[in-house]
Amino acid sequence: MEHSVQEVSFHHEPEGDVVKKIIKTTIILSVITVIELGLGLTMYAFPMAAGLKLFIKGVIVILSLLKAFYIVGVFMHLGDEVKNLIMTIIVPLLLFIWFIAAFLWDGNSWKVLRNTYHPQAVEVHEGGEHH
Amino acid sequence: MATAGAQMETKWWSGGKSPFNVEYGKLMMWYFLMSDAFTFGAFLISYGTIRFSQNYWPDPNVVFNAFPFAGHANLPLAFVSLMTFILIVSSVTMVLAVHAGHKNDKAGVIKWMIWTIIGGIAFLSCQAWEWTHLITGDHAVLINGQIEEIGTTVTRNPWGPAANVAAHDGHHVGTTGPVAFGGYFFGITGFHGFHVFSGVVINIVMLLMTMNGVFERKGHYLMIEKAGLYWHFVDLVWVFVFLCFYLI
């Protein structure tokens, strides 16, 4: 234990800077959350075209990724780690790009196929019965 | 970073020092969290796949519109916003606990750990209320031509499209929605809630160890840092659960 700690070097930022950074990040996270809520409620309160709704949802997704960036980078201090360590965490997560695209595509294809070749399944469901 | 220039000249791989400049336990915590991110990711993506395969999916603004002691007031997303802020604040108090640990400030660590634990328990209490409300809150729906009052469970979903029948006791009557809604909602928020619960237990253990002076004797508060990583991850996952279930 003693040995491994000696192998690791820490850098300390001045006290005031750390607290200032924490407060700044807290404000950023809160403001982004409020904006997200505002957008979510806008979609509910005003009827809008499907395309515009999809665009707003895209904006909310990007804002959430920004929140994730601040939590991981500042609160979890990943931004202060050695670059090699950052890469071993971030690079495997790139798998999510394929993961999300492939499976949402698959879900959509499932819907299109069912609506095209087995439309009665949809009608039964919307009639209020479920089997 | 002031030391960036100096760090670039450091030969990390020439031996004698940790190439990643972290303690073993902290590195392993990072790798555990990365694998846990894939577990949560798989759950959320599976939810997305099913949702994309459906012609109809309930609007979260309609499903999640209740607030404790507010009766039948229509307050879409208000309660879940409160839960989100509780989790963000408890994440901030955790950062402050870790920061106090860097300064070997035992009293500071104890103070901020207690606030973090309170935040975690508050979040879990909110979730318990929300679940109870969904499961026991009956809604009139048309099933096989008859009006029935059902709550949201893993087998029943009252949040379907509107029925042709106009009204029932002055309320609009709907049909049943996709059954998968309840299963995914309770499954994923439950798995997240279980993480919050284990985080609270870990934080309580850390608090007791700090109070007993374990870290003071060791000379460093790295364990608080590792518990902090786990706690922030719980907050991070909530960002995406909040996104997938309540916002879009």
Side-chain angles (χ1 to χ4, degrees):
Chain A
M1 204 60 217
E2 200 66 25
H3 181 65
S4 71
V5 171
Q6 277 174 355
E7 285 178 341
V8 177
S9 61
F10 301 99
H11 79 276
H12 289 288
E13 289 176 67
E15 162 71 15
D17 289 7
V18 178
V19 177
K20 219 181 269 175
K21 205 174 173 188
I22 293 171
I23 294 172
K24 196 182 134 198
T25 310
T26 311
I27 293 171
I28 291 172
L29 288 176
S30 307
V31 169
I32 295 176
T33 307
V34 170
I35 296 173
E36 284 182 336
L37 280 167
L39 290 173
L41 292 174
T42 309
M43 287 194 293
Y44 169 62
F46 307 104
M48 55 180 70
L52 183 61
K53 216 168 183 173
L54 199 65
F55 173 76
I56 292 179
K57 286 180 180 183
V59 172
I60 296 176
V61 170
I62 290 166
L63 288 174
S64 288
L65 289 173
L66 198 63
K67 267 162 84 176
F69 173 80
Y70 276 107
I71 291 172
V72 176
V74 180
F75 284 0
M76 296 170 91
H77 298 290
L78 187 62
D80 299 334
E81 302 291 355
V82 175
K83 198 183 163 209
N84 287 320
L85 172 54
I86 299 175
M87 287 305 150
T88 61
I89 305 295
I90 299 300
V91 172
L93 293 181
L94 293 179
L95 190 60
F96 269 122
I97 298 171
W98 163 81
F99 202 177
I100 293 167
F103 278 78
L104 294 188
W105 196 311
D106 196 39
N108 190 56
S109 147
W110 188 0
K111 173 172 78 180
V112 172
L113 290 174
R114 191 180 339 91
N115 287 350
T116 311
Y117 297 107
H118 194 44
Q120 58 270 40
V122 179
E123 279 160 28
V124 166
H125 177 78
E126 288 180 351
E129 294 172 57
H130 57 120
H131 297 285
Chain B
M1 236 165 57
T3 50
Q7 275 188 358
M8 260 193 277
E9 287 153 30
T10 313
K11 288 192 169 66
W12 292 109
W13 300 94
S14 60
K17 56 176 88 67
S18 158
F20 284 165
N21 201 34
V22 281
E23 190 217 1
Y24 173 80
K26 196 174 157 186
L27 182 66
M28 291 305 125
M29 180 55 92
W30 269 112
Y31 289 149
F32 163 69
L33 294 181
M34 185 180 66
S35 72
D36 216 19
F38 276 109
T39 309
F40 269 108
F43 284 157
L44 286 172
I45 289 165
S46 131
Y47 158 77
T49 308
I50 296 300
R51 192 170 159 172
F52 266 59
S53 78
Q54 300 292 315
N55 286 309
Y56 179 86
W57 198 259
D59 181 351
N61 289 291
V62 175
V63 181
F64 308 104
N65 70 344
F67 202 89
F69 311 114
H72 288 287
N74 183 28
L75 300 165
L77 305 184
F79 191 56
V80 75
S81 316
L82 176 70
M83 288 167 72
T84 306
F85 280 110
I86 289 172
L87 215 52
I88 288 177
V89 170
S90 84
S91 216
V92 173
T93 57
M94 189 78 221
V95 182
L96 293 168
V98 172
H99 181 57
H102 282 156
K103 296 186 294 179
N104 289 320
D105 170 11
K106 184 178 164 185
V109 173
I110 291 173
K111 180 177 82 178
W112 293 118
M113 285 308 281
I114 289 174
W115 280 114
T116 309
I117 292 164
I118 291 173
I121 292 171
F123 180 86
L124 286 172
S125 314
C126 289
Q127 198 168 42
W129 184 87
E130 191 190 34
W131 276 38
T132 310
H133 178 81
L134 273 179
I135 296 168
T136 59
D138 286 339
H139 295 272
V141 289
L142 199 63
I143 299 171
N144 296 331
Q146 298 218 319
I147 290 172
E148 271 188 60
E149 302 240 324
I150 61 168
T152 313
T153 66
V154 293
T155 52
R156 309 197 103 178
N157 172 10
W159 310 103
N164 291 327
V165 184
H168 162 77
D169 297 345
H171 289 87
H172 289 287
V173 178
T175 54
T176 52
V179 174
F181 178 78
Y184 277 112
F185 177 78
F186 291 117
I188 295 176
T189 60
F191 195 60
H192 175 265
F194 182 66
H195 274 73
V196 177
F197 175 74
S198 31
V200 168
V201 171
I202 291 167
N203 286 347
I204 289 173
V205 172
M206 290 301 123
L207 175 66
L208 294 177
M209 285 172 86
T210 312
M211 285 170 136
N212 290 334
V214 175
F215 306 128
E216 205 172 26
R217 282 195 293 281
K218 265 189 182 172
H220 59 78
Y221 284 80
L222 282 174
M223 280 303 280
I224 300 287
E225 229 171 282
K226 283 174 250 177
L229 283 180
Y230 182 77
W231 191 252
H232 294 312
F233 178 76
V234 167
D235 185 27
L236 179 68
V237 169
W238 182 254
V239 167
F240 291 101
V241 172
F242 181 57
L243 171 74
C244 296
F245 280 101
Y246 299 94
L247 289 174
I248 61 177

